[in-house]
Structure formats: structure tokens, C-alpha cells
């Protein structure tokens, strides 16, 4: 009977299997290393992109803050300009209203029968003090004030009998409440035209 020694063959086969497993192991390590390197590279690029986006967003935010600050300054300037404009308008209105008031009061005077001794104006109230020849003149003056379109109410506060240099006169005080909206001044030529026809 022939005997074949198979031990060297089995050992060679075992060694070949071990070499194959070691090669597969190292090859797996290489693939894992390549995969990790690729993943890290992609992650680094993504992180760099996000950092760039963050820096751009910060730059835009800084720019927006500057713009917002400029807008706030412009709003403050506009507010100041509006306040100044309102003050100028109110001064213009007050200036015109005083002229209109004096014009209407002079139109309401009963000529050569009365005169003013005092005039006060506070908010929407006008106080008129004067002297008249009689009570009828005071009544006519009050009617003219009511019809001039400048006052909503005309009230006789007091009337007193007074003798000045031998002449008997009536000292009166009238209080008028102004209409909020100042009417336009009368056109003198129109008034003359109406009076002439």
C-alpha cells in the first residue's frame, strides 16, 4: 500500500488561507482608510462652505445694521423736520388768524359810536373791552360779531354806566368763542363791489 504524506499540502493550504485572510484584512483596512479620508474631505469641504456662508451672513448682517442705523438717523431727521414744519405752519396760521381777527373786529365796529379799550386772546376765547355811546350800539356790535363768521358764541359779560368829561358812556366787556377753523380773509375788492351794487 502506498502512503502519501498530505501534511505539507495541508500546511501549505493553511498558510495560503492565512495569507489570503491577512491580505483581505489589510485590503479592508485600506478601503476603510480611503473611505474615511473621502468622508473627512467631503465633511471638511461642507464645513468650509458653511463657514463661508456664515461669514457672508455676518457680513450682510453688519451691512444691514449699518443701513438700519442710517435709516434710524434719517427717521430722526425727518421727525425733526416734521416738527419744525408743524411749528412753522402753526406760526403761519396764528399770524394769519391774528390779522383776520383784527380785520373782522374792525369791520364789526359801529363807526363813530364806539371804540375798543382792550383786547385779549387765549386759546379759542377772545375778550373785548370797550366804550360805546349807548346800549343799542353794544347790541349792534354783538350782532355784527355773531354774523362775521369768526365766532360761534358772543356773550355780554358786563355793561356799566360811566361818565367821562361830562359824557354818559357805556363801558362793556364781551367774550367771544372762536370757531376752530379760521375763515379766509375777506376780499376787499369783492366787498366793495357788493357794497356798490
Amino acid at each position: 500500500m502506498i502512503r502519501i504524506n498530505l501534511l505539507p499540502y495541508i500546511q501549505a493550504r493553511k498558510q495560503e488561507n492565512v495569507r489570503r485572510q491577512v491580505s483581505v484584512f489589510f485590503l479592508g483596512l485600506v478601503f476603510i482608510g480611503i473611505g474615511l479620508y473621502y468622508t473627512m474631505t467631503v465633511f471638511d469641504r461642507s464645513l468650509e462652505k458653511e463657514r463661508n456662508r456664515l461669514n457672508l451672513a455676518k457680513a450682510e448682517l453688519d451691512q444691514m445694521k449699518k443701513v438700519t442705523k442710517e435709516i434710524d438717523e434719517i427717521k430722526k431727521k425727518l421727525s425733526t423736520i416734521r416738527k419744525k414744519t408743524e411749528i412753522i405752519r402753526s406760526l403761519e396760521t396764528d399770524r394769519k388768524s391774528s390779522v383776520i381777527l383784527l380785520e373782522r373786529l374792525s369791520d364789526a365796529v359801529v363807526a363813530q359810536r364806539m371804540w375798543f379799550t382792550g383786547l385779549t386772546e387765549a386759546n379759542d376765547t377772545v375778550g373785548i373791552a370797550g366804550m360805546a355811546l349807548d346800549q343799542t350800539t353794544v347790541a349792534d356790535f354783538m350782532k355784527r360779531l355773531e354774523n362775521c363768521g369768526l365766532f360761534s358764541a358772543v356773550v355780554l359779560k358786563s355793561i356799566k354806566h360811566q361818565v367821562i368829561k361830562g359824557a354818559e358812556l357805556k363801558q362793556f366787556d364781551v367774550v367771544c368763542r372762536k370757531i376752530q377753523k379760521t375763515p379766509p380773509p375777506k376780499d376787499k375788492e369783492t366787498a366793495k363791489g357788493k357794497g356798490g351794487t
Side-chain angles (χ1 to χ4, degrees):
M1 179 183 230
I2 300 172
R3 290 188 181 190
I4 299 172
N5 189 1
L6 295 174
L7 283 176
Y9 175 74
I10 292 172
Q11 279 183 347
R13 200 162 180 192
K14 279 184 182 179
Q15 285 177 354
E16 185 65 30
N17 283 342
V18 169
R19 269 193 237 123
R20 196 177 295 154
Q21 287 176 356
V22 168
S23 298
V24 168
F25 176 74
F26 280 116
L27 193 60
L29 284 177
V30 169
F31 281 127
I32 289 171
I34 291 170
L36 286 173
Y37 176 75
Y38 178 75
T39 305
M40 288 295 289
T41 305
V42 169
F43 181 75
D44 285 344
R45 285 181 187 165
S46 175
L47 188 62
E48 191 63 31
K49 278 185 184 177
E50 293 302 319
R51 279 183 186 152
N52 289 338
R53 285 177 61 189
L54 183 63
N55 290 336
L56 281 172
K58 282 181 180 176
E60 286 179 9
L61 183 63
D62 290 341
Q63 189 68 24
M64 290 294 178
K65 282 180 181 176
K66 287 178 184 175
V67 171
T68 306
K69 193 174 180 182
E70 288 174 6
I71 288 171
D72 289 341
E73 288 175 6
I74 291 169
K75 281 182 180 177
K76 285 178 185 175
K77 287 179 183 176
L78 279 174
S79 176
T80 306
I81 290 169
R82 281 192 191 116
K83 286 177 185 174
K84 288 179 180 177
T85 307
E86 286 172 13
I87 290 168
I88 291 168
R89 281 186 188 147
S90 68
L91 289 173
E92 281 286 322
T93 305
D94 290 346
R95 184 175 64 96
K96 289 177 183 176
S97 67
S98 298
V99 171
I100 292 167
L101 174 67
L102 290 174
E103 180 189 18
R104 297 294 170 89
L105 287 177
S106 66
D107 289 344
V109 169
V110 180
Q112 298 179 356
R113 296 196 56 83
M114 63 169 289
W115 64 92
F116 296 136
T117 58
L119 180 66
T120 58
E121 185 180 4
N123 296 332
D124 61 343
T125 305
V126 177
I128 304 165
M131 302 293 281
L133 295 179
D134 52 30
Q135 291 179 350
T136 308
T137 303
V138 176
D140 289 344
F141 173 63
M142 289 176 65
K143 282 181 188 174
R144 288 181 179 188
L145 286 177
E146 286 175 351
N147 294 329
C148 76
L150 189 62
F151 304 110
S152 61
V154 179
V155 178
L156 180 63
K157 196 173 176 185
S158 68
I159 188 165
K160 295 177 186 173
H161 181 73
Q162 193 169 6
V163 178
I164 298 175
K165 293 184 181 180
E168 293 186 10
L169 301 171
K170 302 294 179 186
Q171 181 184 4
F172 65 90
D173 286 312
V174 175
V175 177
C176 310
R177 187 167 297 281
K178 281 171 52 176
I179 296 171
Q180 292 299 321
K181 188 177 178 185
T182 306
K186 287 183 179 178
D187 186 4
K188 296 268 183 187
E189 293 178 9
T190 308
K192 284 180 184 175
K194 284 182 182 175
T197 53

